[in-house]
Amino acid sequence: MKKVKLKVPATVANLVCGFDILGMAVNEPCDEMEFRLLDRPELIIHHTDEYGLPEDPEKNVAGVVLLKMMEHLKTNQGFEVTIHKNIKPGSGLGSSAASAAGAAYGVNMLLGNPFSEEEMVRFAMFGEELASGVQHADNIAPCIYGGITLVKSSHPLDIIPLSTPDLFVTAVHPQVEVKTSDARQILKKNIRMKDAVQQWGNIAGLVAGILKNDFALIGRSLSDVIVEPVRSILIPKFDLIKARSLEAGALGGGISGSGPSVFMLSEKKQTANKIAEMMKWEYDEIGVDSFVYVSKINDRGIKTVN
Ligand code: HSE
């Protein structure tokens, strides 16, 4: 195989209560990535998007992943990678994870699939480290496996693919800046036992709801008493948008990853679309530009394109 073209999906990390351990792939937006095998050990990265990301492999999220893979393989081959990002960096929709996971997946395909899914996640985690300073896998895992995944542990890596409930996701990305590093910095270092008990009840309930396809249980488990109260102050109109989404019939939702995007899950497409319109309207009203996406949970993760 000399060339591979991929569609790499956005992901929603945390799924409200599962900070750093749960994540879900969505169908929209997606990055496009193209890989070409070179017969010399060189790495060339091009970006065709408008985000001005560095193309120097050592400073590029996809680049550092591929450098690690090349070092591991001790290969004489190289790669030319063209990346078109539609997932805006800093959106909270797993933009860096898409670059990192797409890189590992594309090169693995070019080389005839020498690595397992878990090994690809392991390489891709170096990209997340470059982007946010932390090797978290809660976006990378669903991007590669599809559906909803549980990262039971990052070190040692223990990934449990859960399932793909038949639900619609509405995600809004208000154009305000929230850096993952800042959104992590403001979190409390210690939590109360009372809050911890409530949180692990919600996480267990959410995982059970996902596996049992029990939408009501999913809905009442989408509650976060630890991270959301701290981070939501960085997102304009967060409480109002959440309340109005629930009124409109959403099962539940919250901050996507570290924000500023907000996501909601709904059983019906009509509800998901109604929520999308409301979200857009609320941000228009205060003069904040926003992008809104409605899609199903993505059951396959990264896809090849002809
Ligand atoms: N779990 C991470 C966080 C995701 O919430 O900081 C960052 O995209």
Side-chain angles (χ1 to χ4, degrees):
M1 202 176 275
K2 288 259 151 69
K3 218 169 145 180
V4 167
K5 221 173 150 181
L6 302 177
K7 241 181 122 173
V8 187
T11 45
V12 172
N14 302 339
L15 285 185
V16 185
C17 50
F19 178 69
D20 276 359
I21 61 171
L22 290 173
M24 160 180 88
V26 295
N27 279 323
E28 289 298 332
C30 282
D31 285 351
E32 294 146 71
M33 295 179 86
E34 203 170 316
F35 300 81
R36 227 163 47 86
L37 200 57
L38 304 175
D39 53 14
R40 52 187 192 282
E42 193 186 352
L43 182 56
I44 306 169
I45 311 253
H46 310 284
H47 270 277
T48 57
D49 47 63
E50 67 205 74
Y51 301 123
L53 295 168
E55 292 182 335
D56 172 354
E58 294 198 12
K59 296 187 182 135
N60 182 282
V61 168
V64 292
V65 174
L66 298 181
L67 288 172
K68 283 281 175 199
M69 290 175 97
M70 287 164 82
E71 190 186 303
H72 177 91
L73 290 162
K74 297 183 180 59
T75 171
N76 280 328
Q77 291 172 309
F79 311 98
E80 184 175 2
V81 189
T82 306
I83 309 172
H84 188 89
K85 296 200 71 65
N86 297 306
I87 312 166
K88 197 170 171 183
S91 56
L93 291 168
S95 181
S96 53
S99 297
Y105 194 97
V107 160
N108 191 48
M109 276 194 80
L110 271 185
L111 298 176
N113 300 311
F115 299 114
S116 67
E117 285 167 325
E118 193 181 292
E119 285 167 323
M120 285 190 270
V121 171
R122 223 182 284 276
F123 283 116
M125 284 167 78
F126 289 105
E128 285 291 47
E129 188 175 18
L130 179 75
S132 71
V134 187
Q135 283 204 358
H136 60 93
D138 50 345
N139 290 99
I140 294 169
C143 194
I144 289 179
Y145 287 76
I148 299 179
T149 55
L150 165 67
V151 181
K152 193 191 153 298
S153 151
S154 298
H155 302 286
L157 193 57
D158 189 352
I159 296 168
I160 300 155
L162 298 176
S163 70
T164 312
D166 192 16
L167 292 172
F168 289 90
V169 186
T170 311
V172 62
H173 175 202
Q175 303 296 291
V176 294
E177 196 185 348
V178 175
K179 285 199 184 123
T180 298
S181 49
D182 294 341
R184 296 183 79 87
Q185 198 72 45
I186 60 169
L187 296 177
K188 291 185 193 146
K189 301 287 172 276
N190 298 296
I191 56 172
R192 292 181 305 177
M193 178 62 90
K194 186 170 144 283
D195 293 337
V197 172
Q198 214 174 321
Q199 194 86 353
W200 57 56
N202 284 328
I203 298 167
L206 182 56
V207 171
I210 291 164
L211 293 176
K212 290 168 66 153
N213 237 1
D214 182 337
F215 296 158
L217 178 55
I218 291 176
R220 62 180 194 276
S221 304
L222 285 169
S223 166
D224 174 4
V225 295
I226 294 171
V227 175
E228 185 181 286
V230 181
R231 281 185 171 173
S232 57
I233 50 168
L234 303 173
I235 304 171
K237 284 198 169 184
F238 176 82
D239 291 335
L240 181 76
I241 283 180
K242 190 170 168 183
R244 295 207 56 198
S245 300
L246 295 174
E247 267 166 39
L251 289 175
I255 304 171
S256 175
S258 55
S261 290
V262 176
F263 82 100
M264 289 289 150
L265 293 179
S266 306
E267 279 186 69
K268 295 200 184 106
K269 190 172 186 183
Q270 206 187 354
T271 312
N273 284 333
K274 203 163 105 190
I275 292 168
E277 271 172 43
M278 175 276 292
M279 288 168 158
K280 182 100 194 111
W281 190 92
E282 289 294 348
Y283 283 122
D284 283 352
E285 200 212 23
I286 52 167
V288 173
D289 279 343
S290 63
F291 296 114
V292 189
Y293 307 94
V294 176
S295 71
K296 298 204 86 166
I297 302 177
N298 174 333
D299 61 343
R300 292 216 358 232
I302 300 171
K303 291 177 191 145
T304 45
V305 192
N306 294 323

